[in-house]
Amino acid sequence: MQPERALHRRNRGLLTAYEPARYGEAVGDNYDSLYPGVDSETEAAVERLAGLARGRKECSVLEFGIGTGRLALPFHKRGVRVAGLDGSERMVGQLRRRPFGEEIDVVIGDYRNTRVGDSSFSRVLLAFNGIFDPRGLGAQLDIFRNAARHLAPGGYFIVESWVMTDAQRSGSGSVMPRYVGEEHVELQLARFDVASNAIERTLVHLRPSGMEFVTVTDTYASPGELDVMAEVTGFERYARYSGWDGGEFTGSSANNISVYARRAD
Ligand SMILES: C[S@@+](CC[C@H](N)C(=O)[O-])C[C@H]1O[C@@H](n2cnc3c(N)ncnc32)[C@H](O)[C@@H]1O
């Protein structure tokens, strides 16, 4: 089923309140073809995350929102212990179909509060704007707390998020190309409510075969707001990059990779 139709079907009443499975159930069957541009970043992401591990005897990664394993599988292939937590059976089903996908331990649950075994990890990763939880600030703080629960002191919580432009922040509508390929263009049309931090985005995928619409409402957080969340949940900022290549974060960076170190209790 196309994402647009899947979302509409759910919006008609099958899923009323927010559920962690909503996103994955809507796009899970097509996810790996929705964001072809992202694949070029995957190797850099894995390199960066592995680099953070240097100097430590052991690196183990728990990925919140592991999805189809875009990041987790390359880690696993490097011999790093990887586990995942995801709300969507459909997304994890795609992971299971990929080579070595059966070898990764995945718990189905909400990364806001689900515990993965009793193990502690040296890294918890939340990529691709997962911190912009539609349920708001309370959920975002819970996610930081749940990451802390899975980390030993000194372990890192790594958060990837996009950074809003001034034009988007002003509350006026904005249109931004997210992916431009020969036979696939993705446009994002966003509406931002400065009072609640809610950002509603309609992602329009244009292909020779037709159009797809995916509408998502998230709770935005600026890099500075993420720092406050980290501070009050037992973390301190260790590093911030403008991308997985480790570039310097500046006032005009469009992406944020924040690395937070868990403080000792
Ligand atoms: C955009 S995909 C990213 C997948 C993968 N991390 C990547 O970078 O390709 C987001 C994933 O997070 C999962 N997800 C969203 N909200 C969740 C929640 N509250 N608890 C657990 N998983 C969630 C979705 O099911 C989906 O697999």
Side-chain angles (χ1 to χ4, degrees):
M1 182 179 292
Q2 296 298 302
E4 179 199 7
R5 291 176 53 204
L7 279 171
H8 285 176
R9 200 182 63 148
R10 281 160 180 78
N11 289 343
R12 280 207 300 268
L14 287 176
L15 294 174
T16 46
Y18 171 80
E19 293 183 19
R22 184 188 289 270
Y23 174 90
E25 294 307 298
V27 305
D29 291 345
N30 304 303
Y31 177 78
D32 290 324
S33 61
L34 274 181
Y35 300 108
V38 164
D39 280 345
S40 61
E41 295 171 16
T42 300
E43 199 45 41
V46 173
E47 273 299 319
R48 174 76 25 205
L49 291 164
L52 285 172
R54 270 181 210 124
R56 295 179 66 93
K57 282 197 195 99
E58 183 249 5
C59 175
S60 53
V61 178
L62 171 62
E63 186 175 358
F64 284 179
I66 189 170
T68 60
R70 179 180 67 92
L71 294 163
L73 281 170
F75 260 115
H76 177 66
K77 284 181 200 155
R78 285 176 179 228
V80 172
R81 181 169 75 96
V82 189
L85 175 55
D86 203 287
S88 167
E89 300 261 11
R90 194 179 293 264
M91 291 290 276
V92 175
Q94 297 289 341
L95 162 67
R96 295 294 184 224
R97 278 179 208 107
R98 295 172 77 171
F100 308 104
E102 289 288 353
E103 294 177 8
I104 296 180
D105 290 332
V106 180
V107 170
I108 297 294
D110 188 343
Y111 52 54
R112 178 177 187 172
N113 49 22
T114 303
R115 187 77 210 239
V116 177
D118 52 6
S119 45
S120 89
F121 295 83
S122 63
R123 308 283 176 271
V124 174
L125 168 65
L126 181 52
F128 227 158
N129 313 309
I131 195 62
F132 293 169
D133 193 297
R135 293 167 290 188
L137 178 60
Q140 291 171 318
L141 287 166
D142 284 346
I143 293 167
F144 270 86
R145 289 189 194 101
N146 202 28
R149 233 173 259 140
H150 290 91
L151 288 167
Y156 295 129
F157 181 33
I158 300 118
V159 178
E160 178 189 26
S161 60
W162 62 276
V163 182
M164 197 177 283
T165 63
D166 289 345
Q168 290 166 331
R169 184 173 287 281
S170 73
S172 57
S174 70
V175 182
M176 187 180 86
R178 285 187 93 208
Y179 177 76
V180 180
E182 269 182 37
E183 299 211 326
H184 178 197
V185 171
E186 180 186 0
L187 301 176
Q188 173 178 286
L189 293 88
R191 284 83 63 197
F192 179 58
D193 175 20
V194 74
S196 63
N197 258 0
I199 182 149
E200 188 182 52
R201 294 177 300 140
T202 302
L203 309 174
V204 182
H205 295 266
L206 305 169
R207 297 189 183 86
S209 54
M211 279 194 281
E212 282 173 22
F213 291 79
V214 180
T215 298
V216 285
T217 303
D218 295 327
T219 312
Y220 180 73
S222 67
E225 287 169 325
L226 293 176
D227 287 354
V228 176
M229 291 179 208
E231 179 65 32
V232 300
T233 55
F235 289 95
E236 60 194 35
R237 197 172 86 208
Y238 169 79
R240 167 161 291 142
Y241 309 109
S242 61
W244 290 113
D245 60 0
E248 185 190 355
F249 186 86
T250 69
S252 57
S253 296
N255 287 306
N256 158 60
I257 313 282
S258 294
V259 182
Y260 297 108
R262 210 201 114 181
R263 283 197 295 264
D265 293 324

